[in-house]
């Protein structure tokens, strides 16, 4: 039984598939199997692989979609560690060795991700560069936990799981939002710690046919819906039980969106905080808009729905100076 099972779901992997597969076969960590789960491909790319390598096992997924394909592969391995890989990315040679090493050193960690370098045949936009920088700063369990409602801090094709963690979570689901984000939110809710080894372990390919650009579940509105769903059933339920008031920092489009999503889930918020002088003292969604000092009042929990990168650090600094603790008194959600 190999120590690590790498599961690679693929549908029409095309010209990128061979490079992705070879990057797993070339790992410095050799005690592995590669389960290539064919999700009804028709492009012939799988037949062009080095299938004589006995570490490759090609499986035909009876279901539809990436979650069903991964779970089908999971059912067919007993390896104690399970890694995820995508058909268009490139794992650096030390990826598995460093991830296994981290799990060996830290028994409390259940999921290991990895830092990435985003690359493209064309030029990368500034947004991708900022996203890469943000991703690679979320490394420790504490950093990943507090960043989880801003964006998914674990790139899906870098994930490695302890088998028992995946079994307890039931593998990937098929929700109306991204299946990987859903899995990490469920893991966090279950108390599973996530971490990353230092240094880049995967080259993450940016191209127009990526699922994130083609699947409506990856629309920004669906990410926001996932956040609201897990907040309502997680920390906000505890906040409500304690009698504290939930307020939203940000009366702009993002704040209003979260207000509406939480209302749909029967979570009432008391009002908004804003820094704009013309908004303060007014109302939004028939609720008051307060100045920033409202956040420091006793009995208040603040959801910070401000997406601007520079503003996030300024708000964090302000709230900490008021003696508030991130996670206990405030949480960034955008």
């Amino acid at each position: 039984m190999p120590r690590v099972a790498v599961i690679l779901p693929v549908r029409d992997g095309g010209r990128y598939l061979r490079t992705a597969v070879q990057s797993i076969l070339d790992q410095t960590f050799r005690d592995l199997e590669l389960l290539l789960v064919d999700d009804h491909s028709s492009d012939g790319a799988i037949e062009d692989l080095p299938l004589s390598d006995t570490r490759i096992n090609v499986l035909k997924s009876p279901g539809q979609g990436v979650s069903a394909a991964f779970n089908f592969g999971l059912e067919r391995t007993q390896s104690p560690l399970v890694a995820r890989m995508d058909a268009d990315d490139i794992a650096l040679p030390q990826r598995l060795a460093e991830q296994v090493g981290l799990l060996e050193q830290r028994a409390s960690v259940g999921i290991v991700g990895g830092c990435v370098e985003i690359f493209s045949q064309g030029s990368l936009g500034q947004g991708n560069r900022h996203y890469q920088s943000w991703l690679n700063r979320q490394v420790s369990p504490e950093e990943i936990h507090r960043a989880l409602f801003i964006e998914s801090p674990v790139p899906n094709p870098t994930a490695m799981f302890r088998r028992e963690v995946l079994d307890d979570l039931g593998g990937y689901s098929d929700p109306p939002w991204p299946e990987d984000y859903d899995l990490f939110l469920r893991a966090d809710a279950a108390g599973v710690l996530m971490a990353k080894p230092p240094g880049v372990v995967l080259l993450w390919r940016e191209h127009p046919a990526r699922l994130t650009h083609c699947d409506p579940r990856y629309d920004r509105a669906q990410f926001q819906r996932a956040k609201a769903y897990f907040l309502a059933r997680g920390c906000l339920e505890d906040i409500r039980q304690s009698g504290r008031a939930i307020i939203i920092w940000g009366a702009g489009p993002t704040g209003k969106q979260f207000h509406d999503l939480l209302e749909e889930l029967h979570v009432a918020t008391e009002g908004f905080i804003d820094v704009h002088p013309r908004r303060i003292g007014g109302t939004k969604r028939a609720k008051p808009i307060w100045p920033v000092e409202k956040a420091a009042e006793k009995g208040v929990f603040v959801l910070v729905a401000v997406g601007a990168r520079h503003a996030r650090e300024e708000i964090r600094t302000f709230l900490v100076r008021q003696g508030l603790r991130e996670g206990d008194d405030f949480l960034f959600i955008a």
Side-chain angles (χ1 to χ4, degrees), residues 216-227:
R217 290 178 298 179
Y218 283 82
D219 184 82
R220 182 176 181 273
Q222 293 304 97
F223 274 96
Q224 307 297 66
R225 194 169 294 277
K227 295 173 190 178

Side-chain angles (χ1 to χ4, degrees), residues 37-55:
V37 188
D38 180 9
D39 184 22
H40 310 279
S41 296
S42 59
D43 65 351
I46 293 175
E47 288 73 18
D48 192 40
L49 295 174
L51 299 178
S52 59
D53 192 310
T54 57
R55 292 173 295 167

Side-chain angles (χ1 to χ4, degrees), residues 221 224-226 228-229 256-267:
Q224 307 297 66
R225 194 169 294 277
Y229 178 88
K256 290 187 292 183
Q257 182 183 35
F258 271 106
H259 170 276
D260 296 347
L261 289 170
L262 290 172
E263 286 281 324
E264 290 177 14
L265 296 166
H266 309 293
V267 177

